Amino acid sequence: MASTRSPAGRPPRYKTVEEMQAKIDAYFTDCAGEPLLDENGTAITDKYGEPVIIGAHPPTVTGLALALGFTGRQALLNYQAKKQFMDTITRAKSRCEEYAESRLYDRDGARGAQFSLEHNFRWNTANAAEESEVKILDDL
């Protein structure tokens, strides 16, 4: 029985950068959530006058990969090796990194952000800890 598979392998998931960019933009829009509206369609605000946002969630590399239809983070990283899509995926991953970096200034998200930056974006905090270590030597 003859194989129906293409000799060149699986067809590409995305034919153009614009097609992928549209999905990336949709993912980040979804991450932002939307304002909670009252029965008149007016945004409900909190005690500080800020709109109440529902459905918001942090942008992550894995979430981006899933939104783009990949099976996981590694599949997205593999697709990034395609020259045509390298800049587009790198820019999208940088947006995820920027979010995690901004959480370093937020008391509630600092530790999770630090973990993500160290493990997903190869930030290294080991040297910073070693440099700040104080050594006291006794006078002889």
Side-chain angles (χ1 to χ4, degrees):
M1 186 167 160
S3 173
T4 59
R5 293 176 62 175
S6 168
R10 177 185 292 179
R13 185 172 302 278
Y14 293 97
K15 291 180 175 46
T16 66
V17 169
E18 293 76 21
E19 180 185 3
M20 176 180 270
Q21 187 63 55
K23 292 266 191 171
I24 290 170
D25 292 342
Y27 172 69
F28 285 107
T29 298
D30 184 56
C31 287
E34 56 188 46
L36 179 61
L37 304 176
D38 64 16
E39 61 276 353
N40 298 321
T42 305
I44 296 174
T45 57
D46 62 15
K47 66 182 182 181
Y48 302 108
E50 297 294 322
V52 175
I53 304 297
I54 57 172
H57 54 90
T60 64
V61 176
T62 302
L64 175 65
L66 295 173
L68 291 174
F70 295 104
T71 56
R73 181 179 176 277
Q74 189 58 53
L76 175 66
L77 300 180
N78 295 344
Y79 212 82
Q80 185 178 4
K82 295 178 182 241
K83 186 175 182 180
Q84 177 183 3
F85 298 101
M86 183 170 44
D87 286 344
T88 303
I89 294 172
T90 300
R91 193 171 27 263
K93 285 174 41 188
S94 292
R95 289 177 71 178
C96 295
E97 181 180 11
E98 186 276 332
Y99 173 82
E101 184 179 353
S102 71
R103 291 300 306 263
L104 291 172
Y105 299 98
D106 175 353
R107 180 176 37 153
D108 296 329
R111 184 63 196 129
Q114 182 182 359
F115 179 86
S116 177
L117 290 167
E118 287 175 8
H119 296 281
N120 290 318
F121 301 103
R122 297 187 175 142
W123 283 35
N124 185 358
T125 59
N127 290 341
E130 290 172 6
E131 290 173 6
S132 65
E133 185 177 314
V134 176
K135 295 182 181 181
I136 300 174
L137 301 174
D138 289 338
D139 288 319
L140 296 176

